[in-house]
Amino acid sequence: MTDLSASSAVRLAELTTLRVGGPVHRFVEAASEDEIIATVAAADAAGEPVLVLGGGSNVLAADDGFPGVVVRDGRRGIAVESQDACGGAAIRVPAGQPWEDVVLRAVAEGWRGVEALAGIPGSTGATPVQNVGAYGQEVAEVISSVRTWDRGTGRIRTLARSELGFGYRSSLLKDSFSDDGTGRAWLPSPRFVVLEVSFQFVLADTSAPIAYPELATTLGVALGERAASAEVRDAVLELRRGKGMVLDARDHDTWSAGSFFTNPVMTAEQAQRLPQDAPRFPVGEQVKTSAAWLIARSGFGKGHGSPGPAALSTKHVLALTNRGGARASDLLALAREVREGVRTTFGVDLVPEPVLVSARL
């Protein structure tokens, strides 16, 4: 375990893909599950704020820094519990394992179900929290259980898929940031700290049915058809690179937290108030629309904010980016401008996707 005090000048800007954020009081790089639990439990007992960090790809941290302990999971590995034609593949992955490596292994081994989730930055432990999804797939489709440290009870708790309450970019884990039934707020880390994620895959070299029109067009197949998993992965990476959504230190469009706002989900009545040409996708009894469409139609084009230090991506209006030298305050100001513009134009309140650390929007 590496434990560094504030004198080491570890800054959240060094630990996050937005590359903003001030110094942390204490930084711990944990090498085992026991070290993660011990660090979090000791901080909770002392009343010290805790930020459990993976790849830092979904965090916007304040310029003033973080007055508590930042715990980063340094564990790696993919454990295959079973693999056969009848039962498929069952694997266990520590929370700190980079997600992209899981996708690459899955495609190579013929584990179907995450091929369209290629290129998503961050750690495996973050994927169930927001039910990470892209191009018609969601990680909830292949998760079997999540092993967690329950800060509320001080015990390890394994949550089955049926208990995780998965929805669009949501889960019981995400809800436990501030609503765990006790009235206690656990921010900036949830009550349930992810330790390990278990997956169950079907064995196949072909993908799940293609459910996203843009991906189907790129692959040259009809919606609902399958393609070779490796081809799906490559097509997704091509699409994501075209939108600045694959990390590249040389490309400031990738100095971001990915999509900054979630796509709004509303009632059918609320959706009727949108313009006729607004995108509408059924989500159960509700309707989802496109945050990117709302932003663009509210007058915010690609690159809005340039030549300032913070601007919308030049490739995709849903990403807020650090053009070099940006501070958290610059990104927050841009986010407020966009949110207010959409509210004024359409009466829709956009919800930020990243975790705000010692910051408010």
Side-chain angles (χ1 to χ4, degrees), residues 1-5 26-29 69:
M1 177 175 67
T2 302
D3 189 338
L4 301 174
S5 68
R26 189 160 60 97
F27 174 69
V28 174
E29 179 103 23
V69 57

Side-chain angles (χ1 to χ4, degrees), residues 245 258-264 274-275 278-279 289-305 311-313 315-320 334-353 361:
M245 294 292 187
S259 298
F260 193 87
F261 296 104
T262 60
N263 290 322
L274 295 174
T289 191
S290 165
W293 188 94
L294 295 172
I295 291 168
R297 295 301 178 93
S298 297
F300 301 101
K302 297 174 184 177
H304 175 84
L312 298 184
S313 168
K315 303 180 181 72
H316 195 282
V317 297
L318 199 48
L320 276 63
L334 177 60
R336 293 185 189 108
E337 180 188 4
V338 171
R339 185 180 63 176
E340 184 58 34
V342 170
R343 179 188 293 136
T344 299
T345 305
F346 295 107
V348 176
D349 286 318
L350 294 180
V351 177
E353 192 164 330
L361 188 57

Side-chain angles (χ1 to χ4, degrees), residues 73 174 361:
D73 189 342
K174 185 176 181 179
L361 188 57

Side-chain angles (χ1 to χ4, degrees), residues 17-18 56-60 245 254-260 319-320 353-354:
T17 55
L18 269 170
S57 60
N58 197 46
V59 171
L60 173 53
M245 294 292 187
T254 74
W255 290 28
S256 76
S259 298
F260 193 87
L320 276 63
E353 192 164 330

Side-chain angles (χ1 to χ4, degrees), residues 241-310:
R241 287 193 185 97
K243 298 174 182 178
M245 294 292 187
V246 176
L247 294 181
D248 181 347
R250 300 164 299 178
D251 183 359
H252 282 279
D253 279 335
T254 74
W255 290 28
S256 76
S259 298
F260 193 87
F261 296 104
T262 60
N263 290 322
V265 177
M266 57 190 68
T267 65
E269 181 181 357
Q270 290 170 324
Q272 288 178 352
R273 300 173 193 154
L274 295 174
Q276 288 188 349
D277 59 340
R280 292 173 173 82
F281 310 97
V283 180
E285 296 181 356
Q286 295 185 297
V287 178
K288 179 175 69 175
T289 191
S290 165
W293 188 94
L294 295 172
I295 291 168
R297 295 301 178 93
S298 297
F300 301 101
K302 297 174 184 177
H304 175 84
S306 296

Side-chain angles (χ1 to χ4, degrees), residues 6-29:
S7 61
S8 64
V10 175
R11 301 179 64 84
L12 280 161
E14 303 163 12
L15 306 174
T16 62
T17 55
L18 269 170
R19 305 189 185 207
V20 298
V24 304
H25 176 68
R26 189 160 60 97
F27 174 69
V28 174
E29 179 103 23

